[in-house]
Each structure stands twice: as structure tokens, then as C-alpha cells.
């Protein structure tokens, strides 16, 4: 049943009003037989399936390329594929011996999800039902944790999505800012009926990322607060056990590495799933999300009990389905967990479920037509393929649009005379603008994230620090060593979106030097940058709020902010200009060097 937030907030936790009970008679196949005298062990097995970071993927389709999704590993994506896997597991285990949960980041990421948030919004009067709600309801999800990207479109869109779901959205560490009471259901409780002993009660505790307070500050400030995962887990897990939970599963939109991308901006760890397992006794398994990595099974020993907690993170976008297989034994009037194991299934091994593709075929066709609208022309083709290692025109386009937008916004202000710089990353190595007609999907493909834009005030010295930090992205390579572009980037796991090129400055990056001593020849309009000079910096809200832990920007004075997605700003810019001409904005202002010699 769907969680009723009004009912929950009107009751106390002691009444158990936060509990959503699910389950009925299970098939007896999961129970082990007793011996002839009926005195043998009574056991019960069940499976919890999990997805995470679906990011608006229903179909095995890439709206940015207008073709079936594919990557180097030939992964497939989407809930239609997941649905087929779920049906297979339910057929094998028995429908009543399974649960299906998710660990968040559901309603943002594709043009399908964007369309129903912005173009034909679900919040409109008599608006549509969100495609992700339709698909997840049809598949039969039992619960889902909130992800940080759930808040990207604002709380009204999230609340409408919550209303449309037949399952609860969980967030034990999402509190009303004024009352400090839960803003969403902290947990759900599910009954699995067994052939022997009493029902098994499975509690699912939802936790999300405290970084929401920074990344979506404009949407949540003064409305919701986000305490740490460990803190809230320590509060709720004992409560769930006292309510009779035989099994406690955490669905956490938080990676397992114990790291944070926002430095000391918040007193909480971003990727805290393993810390929760280690520090909070009473948890049997954790479905991990947020980090976009694949972890079939990872065991963490709890400090207090010495017992293993099993973690699993299925790959993003519906590429994998996690299976937690539980074995329980009945003794002394209670069920106890004897064994937990986890694995992942690959969605590229099955066909899409036609009941899902048929259900949402109209929505899919609308979005395909939308993204293929022609909005302008380009005088030449541009590609991001070399963007991670070279100053390419397509990244300059993003930066030019951002800088021009900020200049226009600050016109007539006290900051109007300051030079405007801009940052952008190679968000997608497959982004391209063709020569000739340019469509919405071409322009939108440059910026696959829902980031918005800000303007911050920085000095020349701070920009130098910023660039030095960004340059850690490159693998140190001595003069004379062979250079393989494919092995030159992502040093120490830094993702492409955390390497920024700064537009408006000229500089070299000496990759033969150690991190922190790589930026040389830093200049503005042909002159060395004065460390004390002031610049306006056009920057996305993720970076401005501490994402990537870049120096200075989060503390810098905010001069302007915009609520429109950068992606949409690019689309509107192309529409207004009519023609994209790289000769008007593209130039090679940064390069990789070794001992003063260009690498390429």
C-alpha cells in the first residue's frame, strides 16, 4: 500500500504508524521439510531484489543518440529489462517469498524523466502519471529509498511522484526543518508468511544522502534537513527490532567508500553505507546506491556484534539487479538469520518485458518526438571524444553559453565590469553536434545532468588553486614516456565530471609534475594573472555547493544564481542564435605539456 504521509505525521512512532505491511500466503517451496518426528530444524528462505540509480530509465534506449542503448561492455538499461529478471526470480523463488526494493535516484537522468518534470509536468492540473511510477507500480516494488536527485525538480514534483507510487518512498534522515519530525516514511515493514512458525517480519530502513542540503540547497533550505546516516540508523534499527523485525535491511542512497565529495561543507559522510554496517548493530544487509559502481557482494563486520553485514550495489540505470538470498531458522519461538548471500544479475541477458514497453509506449513516442525537434544549425561538426585531454570546441560551447548568460545577468550591476570566466567538464565522451541541423537531443546531450548555474567571485590566486586541484585528474607522465590518451585520465578514480576546464584563461598543464605543481603560464588576455585580481566565475550548482571538493568556490561570494537547468539554457541559446559557429567562441586556451613541450 502507498504510504500516507499525513497519517504518519499525525501519529507517533510508538504506534507503528510508519509501518507499511505487505505480504500474504507464501508458497511452501522455500521451507525445508522436518524429519519424520517433526523435530528437525524449521527453516525459511526468501530473496530481496534490489535496484538503484535508475535515473529515469524505463526503455533500453538512449534519448541523446536516439538509438538503443549500448556501451563498450554491451550493457543494457531500463526497468523493462529489470521487470523480466524480476519475473524470473519470482517464478523460481515463489512470488510471496520475494521483496523488491530500490535505493534511490529514480526521477532524474533521461529526457523521459525531464519531459514529465518540465515539459508535460506531473504537477499540472490533471497532469500525467510519472513513467517511473507507472513502471515501478506495474513491476510491483515494495519500497524505495530517496536519492539526492529526487530533489532536483523541487519538492512539489517529488511529492506528486510520491503520491503516484503504490509503494513508500523512505528517508529516515529526511526531517522537516521546523519540527524535526520525519518528512517521509523512515521505514516499511513487510510480512512473509511461512509454512512453519510465525510470519517473518522484514523491515526496510531508508537512508539518503546528506549532501542534498548542499546540492539542492535552493529547493530544500528551510524546509528539510538531512542528518547523518549512521546517526539515524542507530536511532531506528533498535526500534525496528523492538517492533518484532526478524530481518533488517537498509536501503541506502550512499556509497560504501567512506568518502565525501563536499569536503568539510557538512559534518556528515557522503558515502557512509559501510560505516553504517560497521557501527550500527542489528542490520543484516544493505542495498547500496549513489556511487554508480557494481558491488555484487561486500561483507563488513559489525564492531559491536562481530557479525557480517552483507552489502551489494547493482550497477546504475537498471543494468544489474541485486539478489539478497536469506536463510532463516526457527528456534526458541523466533526466526533468526542463519545465512545471507548476495549477487547481481545482468539485464543484458534478457529481453524487455512487453507489458512495460506497451504500458509506456505513448510516453516514449512523445519524448522521442520532443528531443528530435530541430532548434538551429551548426556550421561544422563538433565532438567531445577528445574533450578529456584537449581543449575542444564543444566544451567551449558550454562555457561560452554560461559566460554569456552570466554577463547578461550581471549587466548594470556593480560586478558588470569584471571579466567572466566559466567552468565545464567533459560530461559525456560521446556528445556531438552535427554539421547542419541541430536538435534538442544534440544540445541536451552536451549536459546530461540537471545542474543549474551560479556566479561566484574569485581571485586570481584562488583560480590557480582551483586549476591545480582539477589537474589531479591526469596520470603523472614523465617526459619521454609513451602517452596513451586512454590511460592518461581519471587518475586516482577522479571521474570525468570532476575535471574542469576553465574558459577565459590560458594555461598549460604539465603532467610530468606532481599534483599541485602543474599549472604554468596562467594568463588572462595575454598577461599573467594577478593573484589579487577579481573574476566572476560561472559555475554549476554542484560545484558551487562543494561537489568534487574543489577549493574556494563554496565559500566564495555568490553574485547570481539561476533555477533553470544549464541544459535548458544551452537549448534556449541555440534557439535564439539560430546558428552555432565555433569561429565565434572556440579557441585552444589550455593544453597538456611536459617540460614545456605539448603532449599532443
Amino acid at each position: 500500500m502507498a504510504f500516507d504521509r499525513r497519517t504518519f505525521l499525525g501519529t507517533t512512532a510508538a504506534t507503528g504508524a510508519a509501518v507499511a505491511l505487505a505480504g500474504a500466503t507464501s508458497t511452501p517451496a522455500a521451507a525445508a521439510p522436518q524429519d519424520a518426528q517433526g523435530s528437525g530444524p524449521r527453516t525459511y528462505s526468501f530473496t530481496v531484489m534490489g535496484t538503484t540509480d535508475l535515473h529515469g530509465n524505463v526503455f533500453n534506449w538512449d534519448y541523446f543518440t536516439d538509438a538503443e542503448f549500448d556501451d563498450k561492455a554491451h550493457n543494457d538499461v531500463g526497468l523493462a529489462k529489470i521487470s523480466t529478471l524480476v519475473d524470473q526470480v519470482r517464478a523460481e523463488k515463489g512470488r510471496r517469498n520475494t521483496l523488491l526494493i530500490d535505493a534511490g535516484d529514480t526521477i532524474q537522468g533521461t529526457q523521459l524523466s525531464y519531459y514529465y518534470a518540465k515539459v508535460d509536468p506531473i504537477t499540472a492540473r490533471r497532469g500525467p502519471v510519472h513513467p517511473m511510477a507507472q513502471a515501478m507500480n506495474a513491476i510491483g516494488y515494495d519500497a524505495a529509498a530517496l536519492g539526492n536527485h529526487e530533489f532536483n525538480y523541487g519538492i512539489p514534483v517529488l511529492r506528486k511522484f510520491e503520491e503516484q507510487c503504490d509503494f513508500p518512498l523512505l528517508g529516515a534522515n529526511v526531517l522537516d526543518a521546523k519540527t524535526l519530525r520525519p518528512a517521509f516514511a523512515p521505514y516499511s515493514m513487510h510480512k512473509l508468511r511461512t509454512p512453519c512458525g510465525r510470519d517473518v517480519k522484514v523491515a526496510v530502513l531508508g537512508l539518503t544522502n546528506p549532501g542534498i542540503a548542499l546540492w539542492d540547497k535552493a529547493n530544500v533550505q528551510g524546509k528539510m534537513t538531512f542528518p547523518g546516516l549512521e546517526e539515524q540508523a542507530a536511532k531506528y534499527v533498535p526500534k525496528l527490532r523492538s517492533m518484532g523485525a526478524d530481518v533488517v535491511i537498509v536501503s541506502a542512497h550512499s556509497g560504501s567508500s567512506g568518502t565525501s565529495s563536499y569536503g568539510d561543507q557538512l559534518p556528515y559522510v557522503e558515502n557512509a553505507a559501510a560505516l553504517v554496517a560497521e557501527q550500527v548493530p542489528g542490520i543484516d544487509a544493505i542495498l547500496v546506491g549513489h556511487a554508480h559502481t557494481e558491488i555484487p557482494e561486500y561483507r563488513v563486520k559489525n564492531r559491536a556484534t562481530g557479525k557480517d553485514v552483507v552489502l551489494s550495489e547493482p550497477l546504475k540505470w537498471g543494468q544489474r539487479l541485486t539478489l539478497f538470498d536469506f536463510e532463516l531458522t526457527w528456534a526458541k519461538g523466533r526466526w533468526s538469520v542463519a545465512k545471507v548471500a548476495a549477487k547481481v544479475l545482468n539485464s543484458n541477458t534478457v529481453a524487455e518485458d512487453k507489458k512495460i514497453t506497451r504500458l509506456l509506449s505513448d510516453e516514449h513516442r512523445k519524448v522521442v518526438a520532443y528531443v528530435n525537434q530541430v532548434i538551429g544549425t551548426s556550421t561544422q561538426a563538433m565532438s567531445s571524444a577528445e574533450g578529456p585531454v584537449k581543449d575542444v570546441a564543444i566544451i567551449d560551447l558550454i562555457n561560452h553559453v554560461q559566460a554569456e548568460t552570466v554577463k547578461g545577468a550581471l549587466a548594470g550591476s556593480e560586478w558588470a565590469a569584471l571579466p567572466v570566466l566559466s567552468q565545464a567538464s567533459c560530461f559525456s565522451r560521446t556528445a556531438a553536434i552535427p554539421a547542419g541541423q541541430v536538435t534538442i537531443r544534440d544540445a541536451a546531450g552536451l549536459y546530461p545532468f540537471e545542474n543549474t548555474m551560479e556566479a561566484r567571485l574569485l581571485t586570481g590566486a584562488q583560480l590557480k588553486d582551483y586549476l591545480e586541484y582539477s589537474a589531479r585528474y591526469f596520470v603523472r607522465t614523465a617526459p619521454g614516456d609513451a602517452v596513451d590518451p586512454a590511460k592518461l585520465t581519471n587518475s586516482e578514480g577522479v571521474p570525468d565530471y570532476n575535471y574542469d576546464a576553465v574558459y577565459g584563461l590560458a594555461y598549460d598543464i604539465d603532467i610530468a609534475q606532481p599534483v599541485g605543481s602543474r599549472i604554468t603560464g596562467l594568463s588572462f588576455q595575454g598577461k599573467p594573472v594577478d593573484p589579487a585580481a577579481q573574476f566572476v566565475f560561472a559555475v554549476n550548482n554542484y560545484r558551487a555547493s562543494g561537489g568534487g571538493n574543489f577549493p574556494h568556490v563554496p565559500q566564495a561570494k555568490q553574485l547570481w544564481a539561476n533555477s533553470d537547468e544549464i541544459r535548458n539554457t544551452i537549448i534556449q541559446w541555440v534557439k535564439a542564435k539560430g546558428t552555432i559557429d565555433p569561429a565565434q567562441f572556440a579557441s585552444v586556451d589550455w593544453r597538456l605539456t611536459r617540460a614545456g613541450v605539448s603532449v599532443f
Side-chain angles (χ1 to χ4, degrees):
M1 66 182 221
F3 176 78
D4 188 324
R5 177 175 174 266
R6 289 183 295 273
T7 299
F8 174 75
L9 293 180
T11 58
T12 67
T15 66
V19 180
L21 292 173
T25 305
S26 62
T27 60
Q34 302 178 48
D35 63 21
Q37 285 75 38
S39 59
R42 290 186 287 182
T43 66
Y44 176 68
S45 300
F46 71 97
T47 297
V48 176
M49 298 173 281
T51 54
T52 191
D53 296 278
L54 292 168
H55 283 288
N57 285 280
V58 173
F59 297 85
N60 186 40
W61 192 260
D62 186 340
Y63 292 97
F64 294 131
T65 62
D66 200 24
E68 183 176 318
F69 177 88
D70 197 22
D71 61 13
K72 291 180 180 179
H74 301 298
N75 289 303
D76 287 344
V77 300
L79 278 169
K81 291 269 184 171
I82 291 295
S83 183
T84 302
L85 290 175
V86 167
D87 283 348
Q88 290 179 354
V89 173
R90 286 171 174 165
E92 176 188 351
K93 308 286 185 178
R95 174 67 175 85
R96 304 294 185 175
N97 300 316
T98 64
L99 293 172
L100 175 60
I101 64 176
D102 183 80
D105 275 6
T106 303
I107 60 171
Q108 173 277 335
T110 63
Q111 287 293 282
L112 180 71
S113 53
Y114 177 84
Y115 186 89
Y116 287 97
K118 292 290 189 178
V119 181
D120 185 11
I122 61 174
T123 49
R125 187 181 180 189
R126 298 180 181 176
V129 177
H130 199 289
M132 295 302 287
Q134 291 192 58
M136 295 173 82
N137 289 342
I139 295 169
Y141 273 77
D142 294 288
L146 292 161
N148 55 283
H149 283 288
E150 259 65 83
F151 296 83
N152 285 173
Y153 295 119
I155 292 173
V157 170
L158 175 54
R159 286 299 187 196
K160 189 63 178 181
F161 175 70
E162 178 189 26
E163 178 186 313
Q164 293 176 341
C165 291
D166 294 339
F167 51 90
L169 300 183
L170 307 178
N173 61 330
V174 184
L175 308 181
D176 182 278
K178 295 179 180 178
T179 66
L180 298 183
R181 298 174 71 185
F184 293 84
Y187 57 85
S188 58
M189 193 79 80
H190 309 266
K191 284 185 178 180
L192 300 175
R193 188 159 298 169
T194 72
C196 51
R198 62 169 172 78
D199 295 347
V200 169
K201 293 178 73 174
V202 181
V204 180
L205 178 68
L207 297 169
T208 193
N209 208 290
I212 295 166
L214 294 175
W215 303 325
D216 271 300
K217 183 178 180 180
N219 291 327
V220 301
Q221 187 174 34
K223 300 174 183 177
M224 295 179 184
T225 61
F226 304 86
L229 283 83
E230 306 101 303
E231 172 189 334
Q232 293 302 101
K235 173 182 177 180
Y236 278 102
V237 171
K239 183 178 295 186
L240 294 171
R241 289 294 185 182
S242 71
M243 292 169 60
D246 302 295
V247 180
V248 173
I249 300 167
V250 174
S251 183
H253 193 76
S254 179
S256 62
S257 64
T259 61
S260 286
S261 67
Y262 45 78
D264 59 0
Q265 295 292 299
L266 281 178
Y268 309 117
V269 177
E270 176 182 350
N271 296 305
L275 297 177
V276 171
E278 183 181 68
Q279 298 177 14
V280 181
I283 299 170
D284 297 298
I286 301 180
L287 177 65
V288 179
H290 182 61
H292 289 201
T293 57
E294 181 176 344
I295 306 174
E297 183 183 88
Y298 175 44
R299 292 178 179 268
V300 175
K301 196 171 293 295
N302 183 266
R303 288 179 181 176
T305 65
K307 293 183 178 179
D308 281 354
V309 181
V310 177
L311 285 68
S312 181
E313 181 176 5
L315 200 57
K316 64 186 185 299
W317 305 345
Q319 295 179 32
R320 304 288 186 274
L321 176 70
T322 278
L323 302 187
F324 291 105
D325 290 314
F326 289 85
E327 293 183 12
L328 277 61
T329 57
W330 175 264
K332 299 180 180 180
R334 61 184 295 270
W335 289 107
S336 59
V337 176
K339 183 180 178 182
V340 187
K343 63 182 179 181
V344 296
L345 303 180
N346 194 329
S347 66
N348 72 5
T349 63
V350 297
E352 291 184 311
D353 186 340
K354 290 184 178 179
K355 76 172 181 286
I356 302 300
T357 56
R358 281 196 297 263
L359 176 69
L360 292 164
S361 60
D362 286 346
E363 288 83 349
H364 178 65
R365 281 195 293 268
K366 285 181 182 178
V367 176
V368 168
Y370 163 75
V371 300
N372 281 292
Q373 291 179 44
V374 175
I375 56 173
T377 60
S378 178
T379 61
Q380 66 184 65
M382 294 178 283
S383 169
S384 65
E386 295 184 310
V389 295
K390 294 182 181 180
D391 188 350
V392 295
I394 202 166
I395 308 299
D396 285 346
L397 173 59
I398 298 171
N399 273 319
H400 179 72
V401 171
Q402 292 181 165
E404 194 171 271
T405 302
V406 168
K407 284 178 184 176
L410 295 180
S413 75
E414 62 181 300
W415 315 107
L418 290 180
V420 178
L421 312 177
S422 177
Q423 61 79 222
S425 305
C426 183
F427 298 110
S428 167
R429 297 192 183 201
T430 59
I433 294 291
Q437 291 186 334
V438 177
T439 63
I440 285 178
R441 68 177 173 85
D442 295 325
L446 304 185
Y447 218 109
F449 298 104
E450 307 294 339
N451 295 339
T452 58
M453 203 186 324
E454 298 189 18
R456 297 286 178 122
L457 185 66
L458 293 182
T459 67
Q462 290 174 328
L463 285 162
K464 173 74 157 43
D465 290 344
Y466 189 99
L467 288 169
E468 288 286 9
Y469 182 80
S470 185
R472 79 199 196 287
Y473 171 74
F474 297 103
V475 176
R476 190 176 184 182
T477 309
D481 286 358
V483 173
D484 180 355
K487 298 178 180 179
L488 195 57
T489 62
N490 308 104
S491 178
E492 298 182 3
V494 175
D496 291 350
Y497 61 78
N498 274 340
Y499 167 64
D500 287 356
V502 173
Y503 179 80
L505 297 177
Y507 56 96
D508 289 346
I509 303 173
D510 190 336
I511 60 173
Q513 299 303 314
V515 170
S517 302
R518 292 181 167 181
I519 303 301
T520 63
L522 181 62
S523 64
F524 174 70
Q525 294 184 345
K527 297 179 181 180
V529 169
D530 180 351
Q534 289 187 316
F535 297 86
V536 176
F537 196 40
V539 62
N540 67 52
N541 67 306
Y542 173 76
R543 192 70 78 236
S545 63
N549 201 22
F550 277 65
H552 305 305
V553 174
Q555 298 83 19
K557 182 179 180 63
Q558 184 190 78
L559 308 181
W560 172 83
N562 186 17
S563 61
D564 202 11
E565 290 89 355
I566 295 170
R567 178 160 69 195
N568 197 45
T569 300
I570 295 170
I571 292 169
Q572 296 307 318
W573 185 91
V574 174
K575 283 183 176 179
K577 296 293 183 181
T579 300
I580 303 171
D581 182 3
Q584 296 180 355
F585 57 80
S587 59
V588 178
D589 294 319
W590 67 268
R591 61 176 186 161
L592 300 183
T593 64
R594 290 181 295 183
V597 178
S598 180
V599 173
F600 300 107

